[in-house]
Amino acid sequence: MEILSQTVDNLACNNTCKPISSTFHGIPVVDLLDPDAKTQIVEACKEIGFFKVINHSVPMEFMSRLECEAIKFFNLPRLDKEKYGPPNAFGYGYRKIGPNNDVGWVEYILLSTRPEIISQDAQVVLPGSSEILWSLINEYVSAVKNMTCSILEMIIEELKIGPKDVLSSLIRDEKSDSCFRVNHYPPCPERQALSGENLIGFGEHTDPQIISVVRSNDTSGLQICMRDGTWVSVPPDQSSFFFNVGDSMQVITNGRFRSVKHRVLAHRLKSRVSMVYFGGPPLSTKITPLSSLMEEGEEELYEEFTWSEYKNLANKTMLGDNRLGLFEKPVGQ
């Protein structure tokens, strides 16, 4: 693509990883029609922090339409797209990820889902020719938010703590600081010249929010880090959704759930498009373990912080930094 036509050398030397193991087929798959779905979700959150959801009721045709419209946007001439960036904090961006010199083989649109900001995004972020895209994004975000809230309520029910909406209410709140991102990873044939190394599309990181939901086209590239530090490739599935446990959820569950580290590798021949919904609480929300979940005598593993404080920290640190480490309490404190 023209927007990413710079030579790959500088990007590759700073953002490459050696070839990893083959595709991992142990990703937990949760069928929402299965009576045991709640149990499977909680087990996946504890073991990996990552799972796939099927039978989610979001129509495939609808997701495909959004993907097609997003591709139309990314196929616009470079100068047209640059009118809507760089993102601050929302808008169009390419290569540069955040304010701290993280880069990747990616271009993207980042949008807030808050009602008072959405109307501004429609005018500032997206070109007038993308009214269909904007409409589809709104529908998609609404559908995925509802699904996410249902998943969070299933988690609370399975943990047998209440109230049921203790987490979902944070996402449904009109001041919820959730956001939506569409990523485009152009094909990278130059990778063949890198002696077997893989070009990073989006570097390793954890998501700071409560939970995030990913849907992509049928192109590989997403990888997650297992507990032993091994990177494994997630088989693509354009008809399903993948859920990531975020840093905030790890704190809320006092470490019972694992915030999963993940990254994306650029594909040599195929374009990858992903859509990510990040479920975040209102800025003033205090992130601390749920008292109803804590067992008698159990010590809190993290210092309390607000979502605003943690979000600001995330904006000041590098993509791969261990942000939660700054809030870990000494053992026995």
Side-chain angles (χ1 to χ4, degrees):
M1 287 197 64
E2 183 181 8
I3 194 66
L4 295 175
S5 60
Q6 299 94 335
T7 59
V8 73
D9 297 336
N10 291 335
L11 187 64
C13 67
N14 293 318
N15 295 276
T16 57
C17 61
K18 294 182 179 180
I20 48 84
S21 59
S22 59
T23 300
F24 180 63
H25 295 287
I27 301 297
V29 179
V30 178
D31 183 342
L32 292 185
L33 299 180
D34 188 329
D36 293 328
K38 291 185 289 188
T39 301
Q40 295 167 8
I41 290 170
V42 169
E43 289 178 352
C45 289
K46 290 179 177 179
E47 293 301 318
I48 301 181
F50 186 85
F51 57 94
K52 181 169 79 170
V53 164
I54 62 175
N55 284 326
H56 45 70
S57 78
V58 181
M60 179 65 194
E61 179 183 359
F62 168 65
M63 296 189 290
S64 297
R65 287 181 60 203
L66 174 53
E67 180 184 317
C68 289
E69 290 300 320
I71 291 173
K72 288 181 182 178
F73 174 84
F74 289 122
N75 282 338
L76 289 173
R78 176 173 59 86
L79 293 179
D80 287 354
K81 289 182 289 188
E82 284 186 331
K83 295 176 183 178
Y84 310 99
N88 185 29
F90 305 107
Y92 170 78
Y94 66 95
R95 289 200 58 186
K96 186 175 181 181
I97 303 170
N100 297 304
N101 300 317
D102 287 300
V103 295
W105 192 259
V106 62
E107 60 177 338
Y108 60 90
I109 302 169
L110 180 62
L111 306 168
S112 169
T113 64
R114 290 173 60 182
E116 70 271 25
I117 299 178
I118 283 179
S119 60
Q120 299 176 28
D121 283 346
Q123 299 300 320
V124 176
V125 176
L126 301 179
S129 60
S130 297
E131 292 178 1
I132 296 176
L133 172 59
W134 184 250
S135 175
L136 289 170
I137 285 176
N138 275 315
E139 291 182 46
Y140 180 89
V141 167
S142 178
V144 173
K145 180 174 73 172
N146 288 334
M147 176 179 57
T148 301
C149 288
S150 295
I151 294 290
L152 292 174
E153 290 173 1
M154 292 170 72
I155 288 173
I156 294 301
E157 289 178 344
E158 178 63 19
L159 293 175
K160 296 179 173 56
I161 57 177
K164 185 174 84 169
D165 67 348
V166 65
L167 295 179
S168 62
S169 62
L170 299 175
I171 306 300
R172 295 190 190 279
D173 194 298
E174 63 179 9
K175 294 184 179 180
S176 166
D177 191 44
S178 299
C179 57
F180 178 66
R181 183 179 184 117
V182 185
N183 294 316
H184 176 230
Y185 303 92
C188 183
E190 295 93 337
R191 192 173 65 178
Q192 288 181 317
L194 298 178
S195 301
E197 294 182 331
N198 297 311
L199 184 67
I200 292 292
F202 207 108
E204 63 182 72
H205 64 286
T206 58
D207 294 336
Q209 290 87 356
I210 295 173
I211 201 164
S212 52
V213 189
V214 183
R215 185 266 170 187
S216 71
N217 63 352
D218 198 25
T219 301
S220 62
L222 177 61
Q223 296 183 336
I224 60 173
C225 187
M226 306 301 287
R227 286 187 180 273
D228 63 1
T230 302
W231 285 98
V232 297
S233 294
V234 177
D237 184 346
Q238 60 186 346
S239 65
S240 301
F241 290 95
F242 293 88
F243 280 72
N244 296 334
V245 170
D247 294 345
S248 294
M249 179 71 93
Q250 181 168 320
V251 174
I252 288 171
T253 61
N254 204 38
R256 289 170 172 79
F257 290 2
R258 175 176 179 258
S259 179
V260 64
K261 184 180 292 186
H262 53 286
R263 65 185 181 187
V264 176
L265 301 186
H267 197 281
R268 183 171 61 87
L269 300 175
K270 298 171 63 179
S271 173
R272 186 174 192 273
V273 176
S274 65
M275 296 166 278
V276 192
Y277 173 78
F278 299 94
L283 292 171
S284 60
T285 302
K286 293 181 179 180
I287 307 299
T288 189
L290 290 172
S291 58
S292 56
L293 185 62
M294 300 287 285
E295 298 178 358
E296 184 177 354
E298 181 178 350
E299 296 183 354
E300 294 186 357
L301 301 180
Y302 303 94
E303 302 284 352
E304 179 181 285
F305 52 84
T306 66
W307 168 239
S308 177
E309 291 171 339
Y310 199 64
K311 180 180 178 180
N312 290 335
L313 174 66
N315 289 334
K316 294 177 182 178
T317 54
M318 297 293 289
L319 194 62
D321 287 348
N322 177 20
R323 296 177 291 263
L324 277 183
L326 300 176
F327 293 91
E328 291 178 353
K329 288 185 175 182
V331 177
Q333 179 173 313

